[in-house]
Amino acid sequence: SIADAYRILSGTSVNCAGGGTPWGTWLSCEEHHRGQVWECDPTGRTAAVARPAMGVFEHEAVAVDPRGRRIYLSEDNGAGGFYRFTPRRYPDLGSGVLEVAKVGPDGFVDWAPVPDPSASSTPTRMQVKGMTQFQRGEGMWHDAGIVYLCTTQDSRIHAYDIATQRIDVLYDASAIENPPLTNVDNVTVSPSGDLFVCEDTTDSNDPGLDIGLITPDRVVSRFLKLTGNMHIAAGEARSEIAGVIF
């Protein structure tokens, strides 16, 4: 049964995945070209606060690394970046340094500062020469020193090792005949270490929406499938799965 319901944020637009923080707040991400991250109090006792230092762009999700004291951010754009934010005084998100990933051929990441996080004249994804473009960065999750990043447009799941600063492709639908997961989006690591992955839209070769499961040894299987006209009609997706959580 529903215990209570109340608003903790208003006056924003196209809010997407976001993410929680270890200090108990919720970061709500606006997914439009002037989108910001808003830090919210889940109890509703204090007003939400915009965090423009974390960048102005098509935000999707965030993942906090409590040990490294950094926040990682995805950009839902076909030429978007993979960002990290280092607060000046963790966990205060009011000021800090925003950087974007430049991935080398060996997978090692060089983090380059974004000159103007406010994107007052130039979008953040166009400010750093050689920035690596990720094809619609969406779902993110941090677990045991790894940041998982889903890119929906190319149906890939990336795994960034914070300690080694190397990023690897954990799952690539294009490398699999009749892939079990496509259009990957929201992602969550369960207490068992299994990765639960939600599909954004359906695939014409496999109607319906799936939640997939990837084990720590990278075995992929279907966990759940949603079918029916409320999800797909005339070959076009009408919904997506989001928000799997433990």
Side-chain angles (χ1 to χ4, degrees):
S1 63
I2 298 174
D4 201 353
Y6 50 88
R7 180 175 298 179
I8 64 171
L9 176 63
S10 62
T12 56
S13 179
V14 200
N15 300 69
C16 208
T21 70
W23 53 93
T25 61
W26 180 264
L27 302 179
S28 183
C29 296
E30 292 182 294
E31 188 191 330
H32 59 83
H33 75 286
R34 295 299 301 171
Q36 298 187 88
V37 175
W38 291 75
E39 187 167 16
C40 308
D41 173 10
T43 70
R45 286 192 289 266
T46 59
V49 179
R51 299 301 189 189
M54 300 181 75
V56 174
F57 54 85
E58 293 167 87
H59 286 276
E60 172 80 19
V62 296
V64 181
D65 167 25
R67 185 171 181 178
R69 297 189 165 192
R70 287 190 170 105
I71 296 88
Y72 293 83
L73 309 99
S74 60
E75 182 176 17
D76 193 349
N77 183 288
F82 173 36
Y83 302 87
R84 77 177 184 185
F85 178 72
T86 306
R88 184 164 285 113
R89 292 181 299 275
Y90 182 92
D92 182 354
L93 305 179
S95 62
V97 177
L98 181 69
E99 299 170 294
V100 68
K102 298 170 69 174
V103 183
D106 53 3
F108 287 99
V109 177
D110 177 34
W111 292 98
V114 176
D116 179 18
S118 71
S120 57
S121 60
T122 305
T124 54
R125 64 181 178 277
M126 297 179 182
Q127 294 182 25
V128 176
K129 186 177 180 180
M131 180 208 83
T132 299
Q133 295 181 340
F134 288 82
Q135 297 184 42
R136 286 191 62 202
E138 295 207 72
M140 300 186 78
W141 197 267
H142 170 268
D143 182 71
I146 304 294
V147 176
Y148 298 95
L149 168 66
C150 291
T151 48
T152 301
Q153 198 164 302
D154 58 4
S155 297
R156 286 183 170 186
I157 302 173
H158 309 262
Y160 173 67
D161 188 314
I162 294 170
T164 64
Q165 297 196 73
R166 188 177 187 277
I167 194 166
D168 180 32
V169 177
L170 174 70
Y171 174 83
D172 184 357
S174 67
I176 305 172
E177 186 176 357
N178 298 317
L181 286 169
T182 57
N183 306 307
V184 293
D185 192 341
N186 274 197
V187 61
T188 304
V189 177
S190 73
S192 64
D194 296 310
L195 200 67
F196 282 74
V197 185
C198 300
E199 287 187 328
D200 187 331
T201 56
T202 189
D203 188 295
S204 59
N205 296 319
D206 183 21
L209 289 164
D210 294 334
I211 296 177
L213 189 153
I214 303 178
T215 66
D217 53 359
R218 302 195 178 190
V219 175
V220 184
S221 63
R222 177 181 295 135
F223 176 74
L224 179 149
K225 176 180 279 293
L226 302 181
T227 59
N229 291 335
M230 70 288 292
H231 302 296
I232 182 171
E236 294 185 3
R238 301 178 64 182
S239 64
E240 63 179 277
I241 304 175
V244 170
I245 200 70
F246 294 86

